[in-house]
Amino acid sequence: MTIEQQAEELTKAFLASYNLAMGQVRNPEFAAQIAGTVIMAINSTLPKQQPEASPVMGLLTQMIMAAGQGEQEPEETGNKKKK
């Protein structure tokens, strides 16, 4: 299932959930909260897609990781305080 198909299915589920909740609670804000919770529950059960490998993202990830390794603070040796 593509992202677009998944978004379409979740949108349809949200609208159906919202309309059902509105019929029960007659409060638009609460109905939206209920529908949002239903969508989160449905989305958590859907199979997760593996993100497509992008050479640019791989390069950026490596650069960020390399930069993070260079920013480590040197460890203090001993417990002496400098005055």
Side-chain angles (χ1 to χ4, degrees):
M1 180 180 294
T2 66
I3 296 291
E4 290 81 14
Q5 291 170 331
Q6 188 175 2
E8 184 176 340
E9 292 301 317
L10 289 173
T11 301
K12 289 178 183 178
F14 179 88
L15 292 173
S17 299
Y18 178 83
N19 288 331
L20 181 61
M22 271 300 287
Q24 297 293 318
V25 298
R26 292 183 178 28
N27 180 329
E29 292 176 6
F30 190 42
Q33 289 177 351
I34 292 169
T37 303
V38 169
I39 294 307
M40 289 178 62
I42 292 171
N43 194 34
S44 69
T45 62
L46 295 176
K48 303 296 177 207
Q49 288 185 344
Q50 294 294 329
E52 294 181 16
S54 167
V56 174
M57 288 304 293
L59 178 62
L60 288 174
T61 302
Q62 288 178 356
M63 290 171 61
I64 291 170
M65 289 176 62
Q69 290 175 354
E71 294 178 2
Q72 294 176 353
E73 294 182 17
E75 295 181 16
E76 292 183 22
T77 55
N79 292 330
K80 298 178 183 177
K81 293 183 181 180
K82 294 183 180 180
K83 293 183 182 180

